[in-house]
Amino acid sequence: MTFKQLEALYWIAQLGGFAQAANQLHTSQSAVSKRVHELELLFDTELFDRSQRTARLTEKGEEMFVLAKKLLAQRDAAVEQFGKPGVVERRIRIGVTELTAMTWLPRLVGLIQQHYPKVILEPDVDDSLQLRDKLQADELDLVIVPDTFADSRLSSKLIGQVQSAWMCKPGVVPAATGTVRLHELARHRMLVQGNNSGTGRAYDAWMKEQGVQPANVIVVSNLVALTGLTVSGLGVSYLPRRCLEPLVAAGMLAVIDVTPALPVVNYVAMHKGEHRSALTSSIVMLAQECCDFTRMFQAQGEEEVVKG
């Protein structure tokens, strides 16, 4: 019995087909079929029910899947514990939100490549709720999202914080009014993120705690679109303050002084508890090191230039 055979069985069961497993393992479908056939010959038992159109495990196949999952996890742990970082070969699927992708993701990718040159990184940019669901479905190994999805099945580690501010096109909210109370601001059209967004969830819950229920709301799921609609003067919105300062300086956006101020949103790295490994823990530490939501489109290696 070989790890290649176990990997074939594991990924067929996980992904639902021989073709998908072949793609995951960077090999041909015939090679995957051969590995499964070898396992079946070795134990003289069918592992897949071939009377079904989809790849469905037999009862013995289910037992083998549980064993394969355990053995592959132990193999990975051994490689990470005793091998040098430079020789660790694994695919890591990391889910991030749009804000992370637009700020410090390139720096994280660069650090991972620097420390683990043979690790294949697969970033996935999506909204927070979809990322959490993909993590629970084993479609992602690690996600970095706002801390608004408490789940006992998931482990989380604080990565950083984002401070947002209410913004609008200059003139939409008269500057002469000085400080604006939140319930007064709610009389304007509000551009908000929906419940699929961790930030949207956090601020929706916060406004309800303040007793504020905006009457005129447009829900925008995309951060770029949200910023663009705000710049166009369509309404007021909460936007990440530091990284959008260039737009404020250019006169395209104005920061509204609102009381009470928006709370900070914590970002966390989340993974399944049973999937914790030395490599995952190391990537979380690298994320903590380079997390920076204050500047847009940060280039790989930029922090070294700035420090120098």
Side-chain angles (χ1 to χ4, degrees):
M1 185 170 61
T2 68
F3 282 122
K4 286 189 175 182
Q5 294 165 352
L6 295 176
E7 283 178 330
L9 176 87
Y10 175 82
W11 285 112
I12 293 167
Q14 281 288 92
L15 302 178
F18 283 68
Q20 296 93 318
N23 181 62
Q24 173 72 25
L25 296 170
H26 296 285
T27 188
S28 65
Q29 188 170 339
S30 61
V32 169
S33 298
K34 182 175 181 291
R35 294 173 190 177
V36 171
H37 183 60
E38 290 170 348
L39 266 180
E40 291 178 324
L41 288 177
L42 180 62
F43 294 102
D44 193 24
T45 185
E46 288 192 349
L47 300 175
F48 286 93
D49 184 354
R50 288 172 172 77
S51 66
Q52 304 291 326
R53 297 184 62 183
T54 57
R56 183 173 298 178
L57 290 166
T58 62
E59 186 176 343
K60 282 295 183 181
E62 291 283 359
E63 293 180 20
M64 182 62 71
F65 172 77
V66 173
L67 177 63
K69 183 177 181 180
K70 179 179 179 180
L71 291 175
L72 291 171
Q74 290 176 338
R75 177 203 63 180
D76 292 344
V79 170
E80 291 171 18
Q81 182 174 351
F82 297 106
K84 296 179 180 178
V87 301
V88 175
E89 296 187 40
R90 271 192 61 188
R91 297 166 69 88
I92 294 292
R93 302 159 298 172
I94 300 182
V96 299
T97 62
E98 193 179 6
L99 180 58
T100 300
M102 294 171 61
T103 51
W104 55 276
L105 178 61
R107 292 173 54 191
L108 176 61
V109 172
L111 280 176
I112 294 173
Q113 291 178 334
Q114 176 185 334
H115 288 82
Y116 301 96
K118 293 191 176 182
V119 165
I120 300 173
L121 192 64
E122 296 181 356
D124 184 350
V125 182
D126 209 334
D127 59 56
S128 301
L129 184 61
Q130 293 297 324
L131 292 175
R132 184 206 62 181
D133 290 346
K134 291 177 183 179
L135 180 64
Q136 291 177 332
D138 288 326
E139 296 173 13
L140 292 173
D141 302 301
L142 180 72
V143 299
I144 298 173
V145 294
D147 188 17
T148 54
F149 300 102
D151 191 320
S152 59
R153 296 168 296 179
L154 303 176
S155 300
S156 65
K157 190 81 170 179
L158 182 64
I159 295 296
Q161 294 181 324
V162 177
Q163 177 66 65
S164 295
W166 290 102
M167 298 187 189
C168 65
K169 180 180 180 180
V172 170
V173 177
T177 59
T179 301
V180 179
R181 298 192 64 83
L182 182 61
H183 73 273
E184 296 171 344
L185 187 72
R187 297 170 187 165
H188 295 265
R189 180 188 294 116
M190 284 192 167
L191 310 175
V192 301
Q193 299 183 54
N195 282 333
N196 280 358
S197 159
T199 299
R201 280 175 173 251
Y203 287 152
D204 179 64
W206 176 77
M207 282 193 285
K208 287 178 180 176
E209 289 176 1
Q210 306 303 315
V212 172
Q213 188 66 44
N216 190 353
V217 171
I218 296 179
V219 178
V220 185
S221 60
N222 182 281
L223 180 59
V224 173
L226 184 67
T227 304
L229 293 175
T230 308
V231 168
S232 73
L234 195 61
V236 301
S237 181
Y238 44 73
L239 295 169
R241 180 164 188 163
R242 293 281 304 278
C243 65
L244 292 184
E245 281 182 352
L247 297 184
V248 176
M252 299 173 68
L253 285 172
V255 176
I256 311 167
D257 185 9
V258 181
T259 182
L262 288 163
V264 298
V265 173
N266 291 327
Y267 265 68
V268 294
M270 301 177 68
H271 59 86
K272 277 190 170 181
E274 69 268 23
H275 289 179
R276 181 177 180 180
S277 67
L279 178 58
T280 301
S281 298
S282 177
I283 290 176
V284 170
M285 292 177 64
L286 294 176
Q288 290 174 314
E289 178 182 334
C290 66
C291 177
D292 180 3
F293 291 107
T294 66
R295 292 174 291 120
M296 300 287 276
F297 309 118
Q298 299 167 33
Q300 178 182 340
E302 181 180 337
E303 70 279 8
E304 287 82 3
V305 176
V306 173
K307 290 176 183 178

mmCIF file of all heavy atoms in Angstrom, residues 228-261:
data_model
loop_
_atom_site.group_PDB
_atom_site.id
_atom_site.type_symbol
_atom_site.label_atom_id
_atom_site.label_comp_id
_atom_site.label_asym_id
_atom_site.label_seq_id
_atom_site.Cartn_x
_atom_site.Cartn_y
_atom_site.Cartn_z
ATOM 1 N N GLY A 228 -16.586 52.850 -5.428
ATOM 2 C CA GLY A 228 -16.936 53.601 -6.625
ATOM 3 C C GLY A 228 -18.280 54.293 -6.506
ATOM 4 O O GLY A 228 -18.429 55.456 -6.912
ATOM 5 N N LEU A 229 -19.269 53.624 -5.935
ATOM 6 C CA LEU A 229 -20.590 54.232 -5.769
ATOM 7 C C LEU A 229 -20.542 55.376 -4.764
ATOM 8 O O LEU A 229 -21.255 56.372 -4.904
ATOM 9 C CB LEU A 229 -21.598 53.177 -5.325
ATOM 10 C CG LEU A 229 -21.929 52.089 -6.355
ATOM 11 C CD1 LEU A 229 -22.843 51.039 -5.750
ATOM 12 C CD2 LEU A 229 -22.570 52.699 -7.596
ATOM 13 N N THR A 230 -19.686 55.230 -3.742
ATOM 14 C CA THR A 230 -19.536 56.303 -2.761
ATOM 15 C C THR A 230 -18.864 57.519 -3.399
ATOM 16 O O THR A 230 -19.296 58.660 -3.198
ATOM 17 C CB THR A 230 -18.719 55.822 -1.550
ATOM 18 O OG1 THR A 230 -19.282 54.612 -1.034
ATOM 19 C CG2 THR A 230 -18.710 56.864 -0.450
ATOM 20 N N VAL A 231 -17.817 57.272 -4.182
ATOM 21 C CA VAL A 231 -17.127 58.360 -4.890
ATOM 22 C C VAL A 231 -18.081 59.081 -5.847
ATOM 23 O O VAL A 231 -18.014 60.291 -6.041
ATOM 24 C CB VAL A 231 -15.900 57.819 -5.658
ATOM 25 C CG1 VAL A 231 -15.348 58.869 -6.622
ATOM 26 C CG2 VAL A 231 -14.815 57.379 -4.683
ATOM 27 N N SER A 232 -19.009 58.342 -6.425
ATOM 28 C CA SER A 232 -19.947 58.929 -7.390
ATOM 29 C C SER A 232 -21.011 59.791 -6.730
ATOM 30 O O SER A 232 -21.750 60.495 -7.412
ATOM 31 C CB SER A 232 -20.637 57.824 -8.197
ATOM 32 O OG SER A 232 -21.579 57.134 -7.395
ATOM 33 N N GLY A 233 -21.118 59.713 -5.393
ATOM 34 C CA GLY A 233 -22.093 60.549 -4.693
ATOM 35 C C GLY A 233 -23.432 59.889 -4.479
ATOM 36 O O GLY A 233 -24.417 60.570 -4.150
ATOM 37 N N LEU A 234 -23.495 58.569 -4.639
ATOM 38 C CA LEU A 234 -24.771 57.876 -4.517
ATOM 39 C C LEU A 234 -25.239 57.753 -3.068
ATOM 40 O O LEU A 234 -26.422 57.550 -2.818
ATOM 41 C CB LEU A 234 -24.668 56.479 -5.144
ATOM 42 C CG LEU A 234 -25.975 55.746 -5.428
ATOM 43 C CD1 LEU A 234 -26.837 56.537 -6.413
ATOM 44 C CD2 LEU A 234 -25.716 54.352 -5.959
ATOM 45 N N GLY A 235 -24.327 57.880 -2.113
ATOM 46 C CA GLY A 235 -24.713 57.774 -0.714
ATOM 47 C C GLY A 235 -23.498 57.809 0.189
ATOM 48 O O GLY A 235 -22.382 58.105 -0.246
ATOM 49 N N VAL A 236 -23.724 57.495 1.475
ATOM 50 C CA VAL A 236 -22.637 57.429 2.453
ATOM 51 C C VAL A 236 -22.345 55.962 2.743
ATOM 52 O O VAL A 236 -23.227 55.109 2.655
ATOM 53 C CB VAL A 236 -22.992 58.181 3.758
ATOM 54 C CG1 VAL A 236 -23.286 59.633 3.465
ATOM 55 C CG2 VAL A 236 -24.174 57.520 4.463
ATOM 56 N N SER A 237 -21.104 55.683 3.092
ATOM 57 C CA SER A 237 -20.730 54.298 3.344
ATOM 58 C C SER A 237 -19.598 54.226 4.352
ATOM 59 O O SER A 237 -18.866 55.202 4.556
ATOM 60 C CB SER A 237 -20.299 53.610 2.040
ATOM 61 O OG SER A 237 -19.963 52.255 2.276
ATOM 62 N N TYR A 238 -19.464 53.054 4.996
ATOM 63 C CA TYR A 238 -18.294 52.792 5.839
ATOM 64 C C TYR A 238 -17.229 52.143 4.970
ATOM 65 O O TYR A 238 -17.468 51.171 4.275
ATOM 66 C CB TYR A 238 -18.646 51.907 7.038
ATOM 67 C CG TYR A 238 -19.527 50.720 6.723
ATOM 68 C CD1 TYR A 238 -19.054 49.600 6.044
ATOM 69 C CD2 TYR A 238 -20.858 50.713 7.124
ATOM 70 C CE1 TYR A 238 -19.857 48.516 5.764
ATOM 71 C CE2 TYR A 238 -21.682 49.624 6.849
ATOM 72 C CZ TYR A 238 -21.172 48.529 6.170
ATOM 73 O OH TYR A 238 -21.976 47.456 5.888
ATOM 74 N N LEU A 239 -16.027 52.724 4.992
ATOM 75 C CA LEU A 239 -14.929 52.240 4.160
ATOM 76 C C LEU A 239 -13.646 52.205 4.990
ATOM 77 O O LEU A 239 -13.503 52.978 5.949
ATOM 78 C CB LEU A 239 -14.734 53.169 2.951
ATOM 79 C CG LEU A 239 -15.883 53.222 1.939
ATOM 80 C CD1 LEU A 239 -15.685 54.368 0.950
ATOM 81 C CD2 LEU A 239 -16.009 51.893 1.194
ATOM 82 N N PRO A 240 -12.702 51.319 4.654
ATOM 83 C CA PRO A 240 -11.432 51.257 5.394
ATOM 84 C C PRO A 240 -10.699 52.588 5.288
ATOM 85 O O PRO A 240 -10.370 53.040 4.193
ATOM 86 C CB PRO A 240 -10.674 50.119 4.705
ATOM 87 C CG PRO A 240 -11.333 49.943 3.373
ATOM 88 C CD PRO A 240 -12.749 50.328 3.552
ATOM 89 N N ARG A 241 -10.444 53.197 6.421
ATOM 90 C CA ARG A 241 -10.001 54.597 6.428
ATOM 91 C C ARG A 241 -8.583 54.791 5.916
ATOM 92 O O ARG A 241 -8.344 55.587 5.004
ATOM 93 C CB ARG A 241 -10.119 55.167 7.841
ATOM 94 C CG ARG A 241 -9.667 56.627 7.929
ATOM 95 C CD ARG A 241 -10.130 57.274 9.198
ATOM 96 N NE ARG A 241 -9.859 58.712 9.191
ATOM 97 C CZ ARG A 241 -10.434 59.583 10.017
ATOM 98 N NH1 ARG A 241 -11.292 59.140 10.908
ATOM 99 N NH2 ARG A 241 -10.150 60.857 9.957
ATOM 100 N N ARG A 242 -7.623 54.066 6.488
ATOM 101 C CA ARG A 242 -6.215 54.357 6.189
ATOM 102 C C ARG A 242 -5.874 54.106 4.726
ATOM 103 O O ARG A 242 -5.198 54.919 4.089
ATOM 104 C CB ARG A 242 -5.312 53.502 7.090
ATOM 105 C CG ARG A 242 -5.387 53.856 8.568
ATOM 106 C CD ARG A 242 -4.574 55.087 8.920
ATOM 107 N NE ARG A 242 -3.185 54.965 8.543
ATOM 108 C CZ ARG A 242 -2.258 54.334 9.269
ATOM 109 N NH1 ARG A 242 -2.597 53.752 10.423
ATOM 110 N NH2 ARG A 242 -1.010 54.283 8.872
ATOM 111 N N CYS A 243 -6.326 52.978 4.177
ATOM 112 C CA CYS A 243 -5.902 52.642 2.818
ATOM 113 C C CYS A 243 -6.588 53.508 1.760
ATOM 114 O O CYS A 243 -6.134 53.559 0.614
ATOM 115 C CB CYS A 243 -6.131 51.159 2.526
ATOM 116 S SG CYS A 243 -7.846 50.654 2.509
ATOM 117 N N LEU A 244 -7.667 54.202 2.136
ATOM 118 C CA LEU A 244 -8.338 55.088 1.176
ATOM 119 C C LEU A 244 -7.983 56.562 1.390
ATOM 120 O O LEU A 244 -8.587 57.436 0.768
ATOM 121 C CB LEU A 244 -9.862 54.896 1.265
ATOM 122 C CG LEU A 244 -10.382 53.538 0.784
ATOM 123 C CD1 LEU A 244 -11.899 53.503 0.820
ATOM 124 C CD2 LEU A 244 -9.890 53.212 -0.629
ATOM 125 N N GLU A 245 -6.978 56.825 2.214
ATOM 126 C CA GLU A 245 -6.551 58.211 2.441
ATOM 127 C C GLU A 245 -6.127 58.930 1.157
ATOM 128 O O GLU A 245 -6.360 60.134 1.015
ATOM 129 C CB GLU A 245 -5.419 58.248 3.476
ATOM 130 C CG GLU A 245 -5.929 58.109 4.903
ATOM 131 C CD GLU A 245 -4.815 58.197 5.942
ATOM 132 O OE1 GLU A 245 -3.630 58.218 5.528
ATOM 133 O OE2 GLU A 245 -5.129 58.243 7.135
ATOM 134 N N PRO A 246 -5.490 58.222 0.175
ATOM 135 C CA PRO A 246 -5.166 58.914 -1.082
ATOM 136 C C PRO A 246 -6.395 59.478 -1.792
ATOM 137 O O PRO A 246 -6.325 60.550 -2.404
ATOM 138 C CB PRO A 246 -4.499 57.812 -1.918
ATOM 139 C CG PRO A 246 -3.885 56.902 -0.898
ATOM 140 C CD PRO A 246 -4.875 56.884 0.224
ATOM 141 N N LEU A 247 -7.537 58.787 -1.719
ATOM 142 C CA LEU A 247 -8.762 59.302 -2.332
ATOM 143 C C LEU A 247 -9.305 60.498 -1.562
ATOM 144 O O LEU A 247 -9.875 61.425 -2.153
ATOM 145 C CB LEU A 247 -9.823 58.195 -2.403
ATOM 146 C CG LEU A 247 -9.498 56.979 -3.271
ATOM 147 C CD1 LEU A 247 -10.680 56.023 -3.319
ATOM 148 C CD2 LEU A 247 -9.119 57.403 -4.692
ATOM 149 N N VAL A 248 -9.110 60.491 -0.249
ATOM 150 C CA VAL A 248 -9.514 61.640 0.574
ATOM 151 C C VAL A 248 -8.627 62.839 0.258
ATOM 152 O O VAL A 248 -9.100 63.965 0.066
ATOM 153 C CB VAL A 248 -9.443 61.290 2.077
ATOM 154 C CG1 VAL A 248 -9.766 62.519 2.932
ATOM 155 C CG2 VAL A 248 -10.413 60.151 2.405
ATOM 156 N N ALA A 249 -7.320 62.593 0.166
ATOM 157 C CA ALA A 249 -6.374 63.670 -0.142
ATOM 158 C C ALA A 249 -6.626 64.260 -1.525
ATOM 159 O O ALA A 249 -6.409 65.457 -1.751
ATOM 160 C CB ALA A 249 -4.944 63.148 -0.047
ATOM 161 N N ALA A 250 -7.100 63.423 -2.448
ATOM 162 C CA ALA A 250 -7.370 63.885 -3.818
ATOM 163 C C ALA A 250 -8.715 64.581 -3.935
ATOM 164 O O ALA A 250 -9.073 65.053 -5.022
ATOM 165 C CB ALA A 250 -7.303 62.707 -4.784
ATOM 166 N N GLY A 251 -9.473 64.637 -2.850
ATOM 167 C CA GLY A 251 -10.771 65.310 -2.890
ATOM 168 C C GLY A 251 -11.887 64.467 -3.480
ATOM 169 O O GLY A 251 -12.970 64.995 -3.758
ATOM 170 N N MET A 252 -11.644 63.183 -3.634
ATOM 171 C CA MET A 252 -12.675 62.302 -4.195
ATOM 172 C C MET A 252 -13.605 61.758 -3.112
ATOM 173 O O MET A 252 -14.758 61.394 -3.390
ATOM 174 C CB MET A 252 -12.012 61.149 -4.944
ATOM 175 C CG MET A 252 -11.143 61.601 -6.099
ATOM 176 S SD MET A 252 -10.203 60.234 -6.843
ATOM 177 C CE MET A 252 -11.535 59.290 -7.591
ATOM 178 N N LEU A 253 -13.105 61.681 -1.888
ATOM 179 C CA LEU A 253 -13.898 61.231 -0.751
ATOM 180 C C LEU A 253 -13.706 62.194 0.414
ATOM 181 O O LEU A 253 -12.644 62.818 0.536
ATOM 182 C CB LEU A 253 -13.495 59.820 -0.308
ATOM 183 C CG LEU A 253 -13.933 58.633 -1.166
ATOM 184 C CD1 LEU A 253 -13.278 57.351 -0.671
ATOM 185 C CD2 LEU A 253 -15.445 58.478 -1.163
ATOM 186 N N ALA A 254 -14.712 62.290 1.246
ATOM 187 C CA ALA A 254 -14.623 63.082 2.472
ATOM 188 C C ALA A 254 -14.970 62.189 3.654
ATOM 189 O O ALA A 254 -15.902 61.382 3.574
ATOM 190 C CB ALA A 254 -15.575 64.267 2.410
ATOM 191 N N VAL A 255 -14.218 62.320 4.740
ATOM 192 C CA VAL A 255 -14.484 61.559 5.957
ATOM 193 C C VAL A 255 -15.510 62.330 6.782
ATOM 194 O O VAL A 255 -15.371 63.538 7.002
ATOM 195 C CB VAL A 255 -13.202 61.347 6.771
ATOM 196 C CG1 VAL A 255 -13.516 60.641 8.098
ATOM 197 C CG2 VAL A 255 -12.191 60.536 5.971
ATOM 198 N N ILE A 256 -16.549 61.629 7.218
ATOM 199 C CA ILE A 256 -17.605 62.243 8.022
ATOM 200 C C ILE A 256 -17.325 61.951 9.491
ATOM 201 O O ILE A 256 -17.120 60.801 9.880
ATOM 202 C CB ILE A 256 -18.991 61.682 7.635
ATOM 203 C CG1 ILE A 256 -19.188 61.704 6.124
ATOM 204 C CG2 ILE A 256 -20.098 62.466 8.327
ATOM 205 C CD1 ILE A 256 -20.369 60.890 5.649
ATOM 206 N N ASP A 257 -17.312 62.991 10.313
ATOM 207 C CA ASP A 257 -17.099 62.834 11.752
ATOM 208 C C ASP A 257 -18.429 62.434 12.384
ATOM 209 O O ASP A 257 -19.336 63.246 12.533
ATOM 210 C CB ASP A 257 -16.600 64.154 12.340
ATOM 211 C CG ASP A 257 -16.240 64.034 13.818
ATOM 212 O OD1 ASP A 257 -16.220 62.883 14.324
ATOM 213 O OD2 ASP A 257 -15.994 65.064 14.464
ATOM 214 N N VAL A 258 -18.545 61.155 12.720
ATOM 215 C CA VAL A 258 -19.809 60.615 13.224
ATOM 216 C C VAL A 258 -19.629 60.128 14.650
ATOM 217 O O VAL A 258 -18.605 59.540 15.001
ATOM 218 C CB VAL A 258 -20.302 59.443 12.337
ATOM 219 C CG1 VAL A 258 -21.635 58.893 12.860
ATOM 220 C CG2 VAL A 258 -20.456 59.894 10.890
ATOM 221 N N THR A 259 -20.621 60.377 15.474
ATOM 222 C CA THR A 259 -20.620 59.856 16.844
ATOM 223 C C THR A 259 -21.878 59.014 17.060
ATOM 224 O O THR A 259 -22.959 59.407 16.643
ATOM 225 C CB THR A 259 -20.555 60.997 17.884
ATOM 226 O OG1 THR A 259 -20.503 60.443 19.193
ATOM 227 C CG2 THR A 259 -21.747 61.928 17.782
ATOM 228 N N PRO A 260 -21.727 57.823 17.637
ATOM 229 C CA PRO A 260 -20.468 57.189 18.040
ATOM 230 C C PRO A 260 -19.682 56.688 16.830
ATOM 231 O O PRO A 260 -20.269 56.420 15.783
ATOM 232 C CB PRO A 260 -20.945 56.019 18.909
ATOM 233 C CG PRO A 260 -22.294 55.684 18.377
ATOM 234 C CD PRO A 260 -22.905 56.982 17.968
ATOM 235 N N ALA A 261 -18.362 56.599 17.008
ATOM 236 C CA ALA A 261 -17.498 56.170 15.908
ATOM 237 C C ALA A 261 -17.659 54.671 15.659
ATOM 238 O O ALA A 261 -18.052 53.908 16.543
ATOM 239 C CB ALA A 261 -16.043 56.494 16.238
#
